[in-house]
Amino acid sequence: MSLIEIIPCLSDNYAYLIRDEKTNKNILVDAPEHGPIETYLDKKALSLDAILITHHHNDHIDGINYLKIKYSPKVIGAKRDKHRLPPLDVEVEEGKELKIGSKTFEIYDVDGHTIGHIAYGLMEDKALFSGDSLMVMGCGRLFEGTPEDMWKSLQKLKQLPDDIMIYSGHEYTKSNIEFALSVDPQNEKLKDRRIRTLDSIAKGIPTVPSTLEEELETNPFLRESEASILDNIETVGSDPVSRFAKIRALKDTF
Ligand code: ZN
Ligand code: FE
Protein backbone atom coordinates (compact mmCIF):
# COMPACT_ATOMS: atom_id res chain seq x y z
CA MET A 1 0.00 0.00 0.00
CA SER A 2 1.02 3.57 -0.32
CA LEU A 3 0.03 6.60 1.61
CA ILE A 4 -1.95 9.12 -0.37
CA GLU A 5 -1.81 12.61 1.08
CA ILE A 6 -4.24 15.38 0.15
CA ILE A 7 -2.67 18.80 -0.37
CA PRO A 8 -5.25 21.60 -0.72
CA CYS A 9 -4.18 24.28 -3.21
CA LEU A 10 -5.61 27.59 -4.48
CA SER A 11 -9.21 28.13 -3.36
CA ASP A 12 -10.68 24.71 -4.14
CA ASN A 13 -8.10 22.51 -5.89
CA TYR A 14 -6.46 19.35 -4.60
CA ALA A 15 -3.02 17.96 -5.36
CA TYR A 16 -2.26 14.43 -4.20
CA LEU A 17 1.02 13.02 -3.04
CA ILE A 18 1.41 9.26 -3.42
CA ARG A 19 4.17 7.95 -1.17
CA ASP A 20 5.56 4.64 -2.35
CA GLU A 21 6.81 3.18 0.90
CA LYS A 22 8.71 0.35 -0.80
CA THR A 23 11.00 2.62 -2.78
CA ASN A 24 10.56 5.94 -0.96
CA LYS A 25 9.53 7.57 -4.20
CA ASN A 26 6.96 10.37 -4.02
CA ILE A 27 4.57 10.96 -6.87
CA LEU A 28 2.44 14.10 -7.14
CA VAL A 29 -0.81 14.27 -9.09
CA ASP A 30 -1.29 17.78 -10.52
CA ALA A 31 0.41 20.93 -9.29
CA PRO A 32 -2.15 23.75 -9.06
CA GLU A 33 0.47 26.01 -7.41
CA HIS A 34 3.87 25.29 -5.88
CA GLY A 35 3.57 26.88 -2.41
CA PRO A 36 1.54 24.34 -0.40
CA ILE A 37 3.31 21.44 -2.12
CA GLU A 38 6.77 22.84 -1.36
CA THR A 39 5.77 23.47 2.26
CA TYR A 40 4.48 19.91 2.58
CA LEU A 41 7.57 18.30 1.05
CA ASP A 42 10.08 20.41 2.96
CA LYS A 43 8.37 19.98 6.32
CA LYS A 44 8.70 16.20 5.96
CA ALA A 45 12.03 16.37 4.10
CA LEU A 46 10.61 14.42 1.15
CA SER A 47 11.87 14.10 -2.40
CA LEU A 48 9.58 14.64 -5.36
CA ASP A 49 10.20 12.00 -8.01
CA ALA A 50 7.34 12.42 -10.46
CA ILE A 51 4.44 14.70 -11.32
CA LEU A 52 1.44 13.21 -13.11
CA ILE A 53 -0.63 15.74 -15.08
CA THR A 54 -4.35 15.09 -15.63
CA HIS A 55 -5.00 17.95 -18.07
CA HIS A 56 -3.69 21.23 -19.37
CA HIS A 57 -5.66 23.78 -17.35
CA ASN A 58 -3.60 26.29 -15.38
CA ASP A 59 -5.12 25.26 -12.07
CA HIS A 60 -3.55 21.81 -12.55
CA ILE A 61 -0.12 22.72 -13.95
CA ASP A 62 0.91 26.17 -12.72
CA GLY A 63 3.19 24.82 -9.97
CA ILE A 64 5.15 22.48 -12.23
CA ASN A 65 7.84 24.86 -13.45
CA TYR A 66 8.95 25.81 -9.94
CA LEU A 67 8.76 22.24 -8.60
CA LYS A 68 10.73 20.92 -11.59
CA ILE A 69 13.58 23.35 -10.91
CA LYS A 70 13.69 22.70 -7.17
CA TYR A 71 13.13 18.91 -7.01
CA SER A 72 13.84 17.59 -10.57
CA PRO A 73 10.82 15.26 -10.76
CA LYS A 74 9.94 13.45 -13.97
CA VAL A 75 6.99 15.27 -15.52
CA ILE A 76 4.42 12.89 -16.99
CA GLY A 77 1.37 13.60 -19.11
CA ALA A 78 -0.71 12.58 -22.10
CA LYS A 79 1.16 12.16 -25.35
CA ARG A 80 -1.84 13.40 -27.32
CA ASP A 81 -1.93 16.66 -25.30
CA LYS A 82 1.80 17.34 -25.10
CA HIS A 83 1.64 20.36 -27.43
CA ARG A 84 0.05 22.37 -24.61
CA LEU A 85 1.48 20.73 -21.48
CA PRO A 86 4.74 21.68 -19.75
CA PRO A 87 7.71 19.77 -21.28
CA LEU A 88 7.16 16.05 -20.60
CA ASP A 89 9.83 13.55 -19.55
CA VAL A 90 7.42 10.65 -20.03
CA GLU A 91 4.47 10.61 -22.44
CA VAL A 92 1.66 8.22 -21.59
CA GLU A 93 -1.20 6.73 -23.57
CA GLU A 94 -4.34 4.78 -22.76
CA GLY A 95 -3.69 1.06 -22.73
CA LYS A 96 -0.03 1.36 -21.77
CA GLU A 97 1.04 1.00 -18.16
CA LEU A 98 3.15 3.58 -16.37
CA LYS A 99 5.64 2.30 -13.78
CA ILE A 100 7.18 4.54 -11.11
CA GLY A 101 9.02 3.01 -8.16
CA SER A 102 7.02 -0.07 -7.19
CA LYS A 103 3.79 1.44 -8.53
CA THR A 104 1.97 0.66 -11.75
CA PHE A 105 -0.59 3.10 -13.10
CA GLU A 106 -3.28 2.44 -15.69
CA ILE A 107 -4.03 5.32 -18.04
CA TYR A 108 -7.57 6.20 -19.14
CA ASP A 109 -8.54 8.75 -21.77
CA VAL A 110 -11.39 10.77 -20.26
CA ASP A 111 -12.30 13.46 -22.78
CA GLY A 112 -15.09 15.90 -22.07
CA HIS A 113 -13.81 18.65 -19.75
CA THR A 114 -10.90 18.94 -22.19
CA ILE A 115 -9.82 16.81 -25.13
CA GLY A 116 -6.66 15.04 -24.02
CA HIS A 117 -7.63 14.76 -20.35
CA ILE A 118 -6.44 11.53 -18.72
CA ALA A 119 -7.10 9.73 -15.43
CA TYR A 120 -4.59 7.55 -13.59
CA GLY A 121 -5.62 4.27 -11.94
CA LEU A 122 -3.48 2.84 -9.16
CA MET A 123 -5.28 -0.45 -8.83
CA GLU A 124 -3.21 -2.04 -6.04
CA ASP A 125 -4.13 0.92 -3.81
CA LYS A 126 -7.69 1.11 -5.17
CA ALA A 127 -7.24 4.72 -6.23
CA LEU A 128 -8.30 6.64 -9.32
CA PHE A 129 -6.96 10.15 -9.93
CA SER A 130 -9.72 11.57 -12.08
CA GLY A 131 -8.85 15.28 -12.29
CA ASP A 132 -11.82 17.20 -13.68
CA SER A 133 -13.61 14.20 -15.21
CA LEU A 134 -15.52 12.23 -12.56
CA MET A 135 -15.92 14.31 -9.39
CA VAL A 136 -17.66 13.83 -6.06
CA MET A 137 -21.35 13.91 -7.04
CA GLY A 138 -20.42 15.74 -10.23
CA CYS A 139 -18.29 15.85 -13.33
CA GLY A 140 -16.21 18.55 -14.97
CA ARG A 141 -17.76 21.23 -17.13
CA LEU A 142 -17.60 20.57 -20.88
CA PHE A 143 -15.08 23.13 -22.12
CA GLU A 144 -13.76 21.22 -25.13
CA GLY A 145 -15.59 17.92 -25.46
CA THR A 146 -19.18 17.05 -26.31
CA PRO A 147 -21.72 15.52 -23.94
CA GLU A 148 -21.07 12.24 -25.73
CA ASP A 149 -17.32 12.47 -25.02
CA MET A 150 -17.90 12.92 -21.28
CA TRP A 151 -20.65 10.32 -21.15
CA LYS A 152 -18.31 7.77 -22.78
CA SER A 153 -15.52 8.67 -20.37
CA LEU A 154 -17.85 8.15 -17.41
CA GLN A 155 -19.05 4.81 -18.82
CA LYS A 156 -15.42 3.72 -18.91
CA LEU A 157 -14.84 4.74 -15.28
CA LYS A 158 -18.09 3.05 -14.22
CA GLN A 159 -16.52 -0.29 -15.17
CA LEU A 160 -13.81 0.02 -12.51
CA PRO A 161 -14.21 -1.91 -9.22
CA ASP A 162 -16.93 -0.47 -6.97
CA ASP A 163 -14.55 0.03 -4.07
CA ILE A 164 -12.06 2.17 -6.00
CA MET A 165 -11.52 5.56 -4.35
CA ILE A 166 -12.05 8.62 -6.57
CA TYR A 167 -9.47 11.37 -6.01
CA SER A 168 -10.82 14.25 -8.08
CA GLY A 169 -9.29 17.64 -8.71
CA HIS A 170 -11.56 19.99 -6.78
CA GLU A 171 -13.66 20.52 -3.69
CA TYR A 172 -16.91 21.28 -5.52
CA THR A 173 -19.01 18.95 -3.44
CA LYS A 174 -21.21 21.50 -1.69
CA SER A 175 -22.66 22.89 -4.92
CA ASN A 176 -22.64 19.46 -6.56
CA ILE A 177 -24.78 17.92 -3.85
CA GLU A 178 -27.38 20.69 -3.95
CA PHE A 179 -27.66 20.22 -7.70
CA ALA A 180 -27.82 16.43 -7.35
CA LEU A 181 -30.76 16.76 -4.95
CA SER A 182 -32.56 19.07 -7.36
CA VAL A 183 -32.64 16.35 -10.04
CA ASP A 184 -32.86 13.31 -7.72
CA PRO A 185 -34.84 14.56 -4.70
CA GLN A 186 -36.28 11.18 -3.69
CA ASN A 187 -32.90 9.43 -3.50
CA GLU A 188 -32.57 8.40 0.16
CA LYS A 189 -28.85 7.61 -0.15
CA LEU A 190 -28.29 11.08 -1.54
CA LYS A 191 -30.17 12.68 1.37
CA ASP A 192 -28.05 10.70 3.85
CA ARG A 193 -24.91 11.62 2.02
CA ARG A 194 -25.86 15.30 2.09
CA ILE A 195 -26.02 15.29 5.87
CA ARG A 196 -22.66 13.52 6.24
CA THR A 197 -21.03 15.67 3.59
CA LEU A 198 -22.20 19.02 4.93
CA ASP A 199 -20.87 17.95 8.32
CA SER A 200 -17.43 17.23 6.82
CA ILE A 201 -17.40 20.52 4.94
CA ALA A 202 -18.35 22.44 8.09
CA LYS A 203 -15.40 20.84 9.88
CA GLY A 204 -13.04 21.63 7.00
CA ILE A 205 -12.53 17.94 6.17
CA PRO A 206 -12.04 17.25 2.43
CA THR A 207 -14.92 15.33 0.86
CA VAL A 208 -12.44 13.49 -1.38
CA PRO A 209 -11.86 10.68 -1.92
CA SER A 210 -15.21 9.00 -2.36
CA THR A 211 -15.81 5.47 -3.56
CA LEU A 212 -17.15 4.61 -6.98
CA GLU A 213 -19.95 2.77 -5.21
CA GLU A 214 -21.07 5.98 -3.49
CA GLU A 215 -20.92 7.81 -6.82
CA LEU A 216 -22.99 5.13 -8.56
CA GLU A 217 -25.64 5.60 -5.87
CA THR A 218 -25.68 9.39 -5.73
CA ASN A 219 -23.90 11.08 -8.66
CA PRO A 220 -26.54 12.22 -11.20
CA PHE A 221 -24.00 12.15 -14.02
CA LEU A 222 -23.64 8.38 -13.55
CA ARG A 223 -27.39 7.92 -13.15
CA GLU A 224 -28.84 9.64 -16.21
CA SER A 225 -31.20 6.76 -16.95
CA GLU A 226 -32.49 6.11 -13.42
CA ALA A 227 -36.26 6.45 -13.10
CA SER A 228 -35.90 8.68 -10.05
CA ILE A 229 -34.01 11.24 -12.14
CA LEU A 230 -36.08 10.90 -15.30
CA ASP A 231 -39.13 11.93 -13.27
CA ASN A 232 -37.47 15.26 -12.56
CA ILE A 233 -35.92 16.30 -15.86
CA GLU A 234 -37.70 17.06 -19.08
CA THR A 235 -35.89 14.71 -21.39
CA VAL A 236 -35.25 15.75 -24.92
CA GLY A 237 -34.63 12.20 -26.09
CA SER A 238 -34.67 8.69 -24.80
CA ASP A 239 -31.02 7.89 -25.37
CA PRO A 240 -28.58 8.09 -22.47
CA VAL A 241 -26.35 10.71 -24.10
CA SER A 242 -29.15 13.23 -24.54
CA ARG A 243 -30.27 12.61 -20.96
CA PHE A 244 -26.71 13.18 -19.79
CA ALA A 245 -26.51 16.35 -21.92
CA LYS A 246 -29.69 17.65 -20.33
CA ILE A 247 -28.40 17.08 -16.79
CA ARG A 248 -25.06 18.71 -17.67
CA ALA A 249 -26.89 21.73 -19.16
CA LEU A 250 -29.08 22.06 -16.06
CA LYS A 251 -25.97 22.03 -13.84
CA ASP A 252 -24.32 24.73 -15.96
CA THR A 253 -27.09 27.17 -15.07
CA PHE A 254 -27.83 25.90 -11.55
ZN1 ZN B 1 -9.81 21.83 -15.52
FE1 FE C 1 -9.66 22.28 -12.57
Side-chain angles (χ1 to χ4, degrees), residues 13 55 59-60 132 170:
N13 279 78
H55 68 293
D59 64 317
H60 298 259
D132 295 355
H170 290 267

Side-chain angles (χ1 to χ4, degrees), residues 28 30 57 64 72 91 100 109 140 151 154 156 162 217 225:
L28 184 74
D30 284 341
H57 284 156
I64 290 179
S72 305
E91 298 168 2
I100 309 168
D109 284 333
W151 182 81
L154 296 178
K156 192 184 294 181
D162 276 8
E217 290 170 348
S225 298

Side-chain angles (χ1 to χ4, degrees), residues 180-181 183-191 227-229 231-232:
L181 270 169
V183 292
D184 199 2
Q186 278 88 43
N187 183 337
E188 293 300 327
K189 290 199 164 134
L190 183 54
K191 289 185 206 171
S228 65
I229 290 185
D231 287 347
N232 295 291

Side-chain angles (χ1 to χ4, degrees), residues 13 30 54-60 113-114 117 131-133 135 140-141 143 170 172:
N13 279 78
D30 284 341
T54 61
H55 68 293
H56 75 92
H57 284 156
N58 290 347
D59 64 317
H60 298 259
H113 179 69
T114 67
H117 193 309
D132 295 355
S133 61
M135 295 178 151
R141 225 173 240 267
F143 286 115
H170 290 267
Y172 287 164

Side-chain angles (χ1 to χ4, degrees), residues 3-8 16-19 26 28 34-47 71:
L3 278 169
I4 300 173
E5 308 277 2
I6 301 172
I7 306 177
Y16 298 105
L17 191 72
I18 304 158
R19 298 178 58 187
N26 299 305
L28 184 74
H34 69 264
I37 297 164
E38 178 183 36
T39 302
Y40 188 92
L41 292 169
D42 290 358
K43 198 168 68 190
K44 303 203 171 190
L46 299 175
S47 63
Y71 302 97

